[in-house]
Amino acid sequence: MGPKVKSPRTTPINQEVKSSGVMRLSHGRMFHKRGLWLIEKWKKQNEKKPEDKKPKKTTRMVTKQVNGEKNGKTRTVRVNRFPRFYPTEDKPRKLRSNKKSFSQHKHSLRSSITPGTVLILVAGRHAGKRVVFLKQLASGLLLVTGPFKLNGCPLRRINQNYVIATSTKVDISKVKVPENLNDAFFNRVRAARKQAKSGEAGAEIFQQKKEEYKVTEERKTAQLDVDKQLLNAIRTSSSADRKLLVPYLKSRFSLSNKQYPHQMKF
């Protein structure tokens, strides 16, 4: 029997796959299949120039000659040695990043949350309480208050992810929120530690007491000022349910059996 003779190809090598607009072989695959990479024209065009070649990376380890008969003749050492001493405290090192910090993000507000909207807190130590929304701060957090006289919730910041917006609203157009109520207003100021003498350094560790948080006078006056205006706005509200508004803000939100939040209208 003689060698098999291949029958001539009737279909093209590259064709459309099931009339999908996608070819069976890619442009690069056809370039190699047709043998175009052997042509001198393409070789010169795709040849890398010397300036395009990446410089060789510097090696971290170097082999050095060592004198002596029983020292192994060579030894591999680091180019840059590690430091002999390490810091006793780990200092945080700021890493380079292309990401913007949280304060530089664009903070949008839900359409259901407007100044005067009554919100239900679902997280934190005041979870379940109903509060009044005052304004959105530069950091994107919401500034809310109980008022404190009604449910014990003071002026505080909260993320809008942890609130449920209700259809109940209070007209706070006449309430003037002080300009100093910003993110810096809520920062806690830590007292400076006293430097102990060399002889008393050991005893000072056991004598240190845990710092107790105390509300500043500035915060107390701001709370009284905002609550006074807000309570006046609640009492003089023109809505038909104004008598129910005070007990509504005093009561806590809770769920009982067979009550499903996704089926409720707040």
Side-chain angles (χ1 to χ4, degrees), residues 102-103 105-109 133 135-143 157-161 183:
F102 180 74
S103 59
H105 288 185
K106 186 182 177 182
H107 304 290
S108 57
L109 191 64
F133 169 64
K135 66 174 183 177
Q136 188 181 27
L137 301 175
S139 62
L141 299 174
L142 311 181
L143 178 65
R157 300 174 295 173
I158 192 161
N159 196 311
Q160 59 181 322
N161 293 341
D183 291 300

Side-chain angles (χ1 to χ4, degrees), residues 93-102 104-105:
R93 185 165 61 92
K94 195 173 182 181
L95 302 172
R96 287 186 180 180
S97 175
N98 293 328
K99 294 180 180 179
K100 291 181 179 178
S101 60
F102 180 74
Q104 293 177 332
H105 288 185

